[in-house]
C-alpha cells in the first residue's frame, strides 16, 4: 500500500502531466498544482519523476510521463 507521501507525489505527477499536455520539460509554477506538499515534491524528485527549478517551478520528466501513461 502506498504511503500518503507517495500518493501525493503520484497526484503531483498526474496533475503535471495533464497541465503540461503530457509533454515532459514543460515548466509550470507549483502554485498551479493542487495538494502539493514539500514531502511529495521531494519524493517525486528522488524518483526522477519531476525536476524542480528555483524552488517554485516544476516540470515532468520522461520517467514521470511514462509512469502516468503506464497506469
Amino acid at each position: 500500500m502506498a504511503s500518503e507521501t507517495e500518493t501525493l507525489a503520484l497526484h503531483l505527477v498526474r496533475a503535471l502531466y495533464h497541465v503540461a499536455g503530457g509533454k515532459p520539460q514543460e515548466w509550470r509554477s507549483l502554485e498551479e498544482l493542487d495538494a502539493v506538499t514539500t514531502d511529495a515534491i521531494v519524493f517525486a524528485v528522488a524518483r526522477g519523476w519531476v525536476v524542480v527549478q528555483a524552488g517554485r517551478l516544476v516540470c515532468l520528466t520522461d520517467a514521470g510521463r511514462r509512469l502516468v501513461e503506464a497506469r
Side-chain angles (χ1 to χ4, degrees), residues 10-65:
L10 290 169
H11 172 75
L12 164 66
V13 173
R14 281 192 295 274
L16 191 55
Y17 179 91
H18 292 292
V19 169
K23 298 176 188 169
Q25 305 306 318
E26 292 284 327
W27 293 95
R28 295 292 187 257
S29 168
L30 286 170
E31 291 85 30
E32 291 179 57
L33 307 171
D34 294 331
V36 177
T37 67
T38 301
D39 289 343
I41 295 166
V42 169
F43 190 97
V45 169
R47 279 148 186 82
W49 299 339
V50 300
V51 175
V52 176
Q53 180 180 25
R56 61 182 183 80
L57 297 174
V58 63
C59 76
L60 191 65
T61 64
D62 284 328
R65 178 188 51 80

